[in-house]
Amino acid sequence: MIYVGNWKMNQSFEGAQKFLQSLKKRVSEEKQKSYIILSPAVLFGLMKDEFSGTNFNWGGQNCFYKNEGPYTGENSPQLMYEMGARYVLVGHSERRLLFGETHEMILEKAHIIVQNKMTPILCVGESLEQRSQFQNVLKSQLTGFSNISPLMVAYEPVWAIGSGKIPNNLQIQSALSVIKEAVPQSTVLYGGSVNSQVFRTLLCKELEGFLIGKASLNVDSFILE
Ligand code: 13P
């Protein structure tokens, strides 16, 4: 299983440093490969310092769809790769809703991430109002991604993010089969209120890992066991 921690806009410098040092102590070298931390861009220097020479992977929560230019405030995917990032989250519902990211922008970002030898982690998922047509929502969010490789896709129903509500096993399985049909080359994760109490109920055949928000903020709750 792969465990991806999305810190969102959380962690202090000192808190993040303590987290990374304690994670290194707690996880064996072999298992380090299964963990990916998605940190705020201002902490990339710390990620580089703490994770270089280890088997841990890390990445960003967003990037721009060009490598350089007059784009004040944006982050270059090329520079992210240079710093040591190997994954970038794209299409998180918070970015779609709060920052107006369109499908076209998300697809362009995924292309440039792959061109820079990193793996995009695409978030897809329906809102509560869209629940009855979740298949169509997922299919439209996955349009154009069938030739993106490598690719990870996280099924994150918007209603499950930070709410403590989780889909039942059947709901996850049907979402994962829509995803696998649209993008068979992808590695598929589930995200939304994942923690050590519930993760076992979410396991199913196609599921290869979890995208974890709140529970990824401290090491004890991030290590699901
Ligand atoms: P929570 O685990 O806090 O529900 O967040 C999920 C998420 O948005 C991860 O990207």
Side-chain angles (χ1 to χ4, degrees), residues 6 8 92 94 156 160-162 192-194 211-214:
N6 175 12
K8 307 193 180 184
H92 193 284
E94 285 151 18
E156 281 212 324
I161 298 175
S193 296
V194 177
L211 178 56
I212 307 159
K214 195 156 183 257

Side-chain angles (χ1 to χ4, degrees), residues 135-155:
Q135 285 104 330
N136 293 338
V137 174
L138 298 183
K139 278 184 209 157
S140 84
Q141 291 174 337
L142 290 162
T143 307
F145 281 86
S146 61
N147 57 0
I148 303 268
S149 177
L151 175 69
M152 280 191 186
V153 176
Y155 172 52

Side-chain angles (χ1 to χ4, degrees), residues 23-159:
L23 190 68
K24 285 192 285 189
K25 281 200 197 110
R26 292 272 300 270
V27 178
S28 70
E29 253 177 67
E30 182 49 37
K31 283 218 169 148
Q32 289 176 1
K33 290 182 201 132
S34 336
Y35 289 89
I36 301 168
I37 302 286
L38 303 174
S39 96
V42 284
L43 291 178
F44 287 172
L46 178 70
M47 301 306 294
K48 181 176 163 58
D49 289 348
E50 292 294 338
F51 275 178
S52 27
T54 73
N55 286 327
F56 284 104
N57 277 299
W58 64 272
Q61 301 167 9
N62 179 38
C63 69
F64 197 54
Y65 47 79
K66 291 197 192 290
N67 280 328
E68 60 185 349
Y71 308 107
T72 302
E74 289 295 333
N75 287 304
S76 154
Q78 191 172 31
L79 187 53
M80 285 167 72
Y81 177 81
E82 267 182 50
M83 291 294 285
R86 293 295 176 264
Y87 294 85
V88 188
L89 200 61
V90 286
H92 193 284
S93 63
E94 285 151 18
R95 295 215 57 90
R96 292 180 198 257
L97 293 168
L98 302 172
F99 302 97
E101 286 200 6
T102 64
H103 181 76
E104 289 67 32
M105 285 156 76
I106 295 164
L107 190 55
E108 260 190 87
K109 288 181 185 196
H111 276 289
I112 200 158
I113 290 163
V114 172
Q115 279 162 25
N116 282 289
K117 298 184 281 213
M118 299 183 287
T119 302
I121 305 176
L122 170 70
C123 298
V124 295
E126 79 288 354
S127 64
L128 203 53
E129 301 74 56
Q130 296 167 324
R131 185 74 201 112
S132 60
Q133 338 124 46
F134 76 95
Q135 285 104 330
N136 293 338
V137 174
L138 298 183
K139 278 184 209 157
S140 84
Q141 291 174 337
L142 290 162
T143 307
F145 281 86
S146 61
N147 57 0
I148 303 268
S149 177
L151 175 69
M152 280 191 186
V153 176
Y155 172 52
E156 281 212 324
V158 180
W159 51 269

